[in-house]
């Protein structure tokens, strides 16, 4: 009987990847070489040790909480700029995004910001804000990224 209960308990269990591997896989899709992804992961580890960022992993999705903005200026206490990395399917990612605000709130965050260049992702964020009752805004703007001005959708949410 206990064997059957153990099998049922593990049937839906998700095999978790280490945080660094989730980030590496997420970055390997956008960077040119595997070495670039490794360098990015090493930089994330260094920044996490210094307190400039904090990774929050839910399943195989990592929410990287930056305590500095893109201009490298410190953000106020409880505020973070979030970047998301995942190895999960879209439905699982949406589940993670639904629970993320409560997790962030429990860890002391009161406001999160982020930006994306894809209007479809901005619409998903907007829908999730409405579904979870989070007060927030999403507006088109331009950010200086990798040496050039890039049109993005800036999102801000109060937890």
């Amino acid at each position: 009987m206990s064997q059957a209960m153990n099998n049922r308990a593990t049937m839906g269990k998700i095999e978790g990847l280490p945080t660094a591997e989730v980030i590496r896989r997420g970055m390997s899709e956008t960077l040119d070489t595997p070495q670039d992804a490794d360098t990015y992961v090493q930089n994330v580890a260094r920044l996490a040790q210094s307190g400039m960022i904090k990774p929050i992993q839910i399943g195989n999705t990592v929410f990287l909480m930056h305590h500095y903005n893109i201009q490298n200026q410190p953000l106020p206490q409880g505020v973070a700029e979030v970047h998301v990395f995942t190895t999960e399917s879209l439905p699982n990612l949406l589940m993670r995004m639904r629970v993320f605000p409560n997790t962030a709130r429990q860890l002391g965050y009161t406001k999160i910001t982020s930006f994306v260049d894809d209007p479809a992702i901005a619409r998903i964020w907007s829908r999730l804000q409405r579904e979870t009752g989070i007060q927030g805004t999403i507006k088109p703007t331009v950010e200086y990224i990798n040496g050039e001005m890039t049109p993005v959708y800036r999102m801000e949410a109060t937890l």
Side-chain angles (χ1 to χ4, degrees):
M1 178 75 158
S2 64
Q3 173 113 12
M5 288 174 63
N6 285 338
N7 286 343
R8 264 188 253 131
T10 59
M11 280 177 28
K13 192 173 184 178
I14 295 173
E15 186 64 34
L17 294 170
T19 301
E21 184 60 23
V22 173
I23 294 170
R24 180 177 289 107
R25 289 184 187 185
M27 287 309 296
S28 66
E29 295 175 8
T30 59
L31 296 174
D32 294 331
T33 68
Q35 292 80 13
D36 290 341
D38 289 340
T39 300
Y40 185 84
V41 170
Q42 291 169 0
N43 288 334
V44 166
R46 183 179 47 80
L47 292 170
Q49 287 176 341
S50 73
M52 291 179 73
I53 62 173
K54 177 179 182 54
I56 299 173
Q57 185 167 350
I58 304 171
N60 283 326
T61 297
V62 174
F63 298 88
L64 204 53
M65 310 295 280
H66 289 249
H67 299 138
Y68 286 75
N69 65 18
I70 198 162
Q71 291 84 23
N72 211 24
Q73 299 166 334
L75 296 171
Q77 182 72 22
V79 177
E81 184 165 292
V82 181
H83 299 275
V84 182
F85 303 88
T86 191
T87 61
E88 300 186 272
S89 65
L90 183 58
N92 284 344
L93 172 60
L94 291 174
M95 286 189 320
R96 307 300 182 219
M97 291 175 82
R98 282 186 180 98
V99 301
F100 168 70
N102 285 333
T103 303
R105 194 178 300 117
Q106 290 170 357
L107 292 171
Y109 292 97
T110 56
K111 181 179 179 181
I112 56 173
T113 65
S114 191
F115 61 88
V116 295
D117 60 0
D118 185 342
I121 301 294
R123 285 191 298 274
I124 290 171
W125 273 104
S126 179
R127 188 176 115 214
L128 287 170
Q129 283 180 346
R130 284 192 309 275
E131 287 178 7
T132 58
I134 292 175
Q135 305 244 337
T137 61
I138 298 175
K139 53 187 162 192
T141 188
V142 178
E143 293 281 348
Y144 189 72
I145 303 171
N146 297 328
E148 59 185 55
M149 298 304 283
T150 306
V152 297
Y153 295 89
R154 167 115 347 238
M155 299 165 286
E156 295 183 7
T158 302
L159 303 177

